[in-house]
Amino acid sequence: MVSLLEAQPSPLTLDGSTTALLIIDMQRDFLEPGGFGESLVNDVSLLAAAVPPCRAVLDAARAAGLLVVHTREGHRPDLSDAPPAKLERGAPTARIGAPGPMGRILIRGEPGHAIIPALTPRAGEPVIDKPGKGAFYATDLADILAARAIATLLVCGVTTEVCVHTTVREANDRGYRCVVIGDACGSYIPEFHAAGLAMITAQGGLFGWVCESAAVVTALGRLG
Ligand code: TIU
C-alpha cells in the first residue's frame, strides 16, 4: 500500500513494504550528562527535544509494520576499531575509552553506549553497531536493507549534521530515497541543525527530503 508524505521540497509517495525507519545513535552517551557528547563540551539537554518526535515515528512505524533499524556509535573495548585520528582529535574533557559515570565513554557494552530507554529496540529490530559516523561504513546495514528490498529511508536521530548527515550522504550515493525527519533530529549546535536540514532540500532536493514527524505519523497511519 502507498501513502503520500508531505515533505520539502515536494511530497513523496511511501510504500510501506520498501520503506524503513532508521534511528541514528539515540544513545545515553549523546543524550545524557556524563557521556561522549558532554565530554566534547556540549550541552546535551539540546538533544532532548528530538526524543518525543522519535518516539512518535517509532510507534507509527511499528504499527505500520515497517522495518525499524537502530544504530549505535561506539568502539570495541580494546579500541582496535578506533582510528588514532579519531581518538586524538579535538580537546575533549574525557577521551573515547576513558571511564565516566556511565562507564567507559563510547565503548560497546557500557551503560552509556545503550539506546535511551524511551527508544529501546524491540526483539527483531536490527541494531547496527558502527565505529564511524556513517551507518553504512564497516557495518552490514546495506545487506539488511537489501534483504528487505528497502528503497526509502526515513531517518532521524542525533546529531543532525554529524551522524545523521553522514549516513544520509552515504545512503544517497547508494541510491536510497532519503527523508530526514527534521524535528526528530537534534544537534548541540542549533545553527548546524538548521543548516544541515537546509542542505538536504537545497537545489531541488540535493540529498533528499525533509519532513515533520507529524507528517510521518499521518502518512504511516494511512498504511496501517
Ligand atoms: N552520533 C553522532 O552524531 N556523533 C557525534 O560525534 N556527534 C557530534 O555532534 N559530536
Side-chain angles (χ1 to χ4, degrees):
M1 189 161 162
V2 168
S3 177
L4 194 69
L5 173 65
E6 285 303 325
Q8 299 297 327
S10 61
L12 74 159
T13 53
L14 286 186
D15 178 339
S17 67
T18 58
T19 299
L21 176 66
L22 183 57
I23 308 180
I24 303 292
D25 298 358
M26 290 296 282
Q27 295 161 257
R28 299 182 65 199
D29 255 326
F30 292 107
L31 285 123
E32 296 184 13
F36 185 57
E38 195 171 73
S39 84
L40 298 173
V41 202
N42 292 307
D43 175 1
V44 294
S45 72
L46 287 165
L47 303 190
V51 176
C54 278
R55 180 58 198 255
V57 295
L58 176 58
D59 289 345
R62 284 171 171 165
L66 258 59
L67 173 67
V68 175
V69 180
H70 307 258
T71 74
R72 301 183 295 204
E73 182 177 354
H75 295 281
R76 295 171 184 264
D78 64 3
L79 297 178
S80 56
D81 61 351
K86 183 176 185 182
L87 297 174
E88 73 191 9
R89 268 204 311 274
T93 54
R95 294 201 180 271
I96 294 170
M102 293 191 289
R104 293 179 66 204
I105 288 175
L106 222 63
I107 298 298
R108 293 178 191 165
E110 299 287 341
H113 183 256
I115 291 171
I116 60 170
L119 302 172
T120 296
R122 277 190 188 162
E125 293 174 352
V127 179
I128 305 290
D129 278 322
K130 63 188 186 64
K133 294 176 171 56
F136 288 87
Y137 170 68
T139 75
D140 55 3
L141 175 60
D143 297 330
I144 289 170
L145 298 178
R148 292 276 294 256
I150 297 298
T152 302
L153 298 175
L154 303 172
V155 189
C156 61
V158 297
T159 61
T160 315
E161 78 280 12
V162 182
C163 290
V164 171
H165 231 275
T166 304
T167 298
V168 166
R169 287 171 184 237
E170 287 182 326
N172 188 76
D173 280 348
R174 286 166 171 77
Y176 294 95
R177 299 158 88 218
C178 298
V179 186
V180 177
I181 310 166
D183 59 323
C185 296
S187 171
Y188 305 116
I189 305 169
E191 59 264 42
F192 286 1
H193 171 80
L197 295 182
M199 286 177 203
I200 304 290
T201 58
Q203 301 172 43
L206 202 48
F207 297 109
W209 292 262
V210 172
C211 71
E212 295 290 315
S213 58
V216 172
V217 170
T218 299
L220 295 185
R222 286 193 289 258
L223 292 175

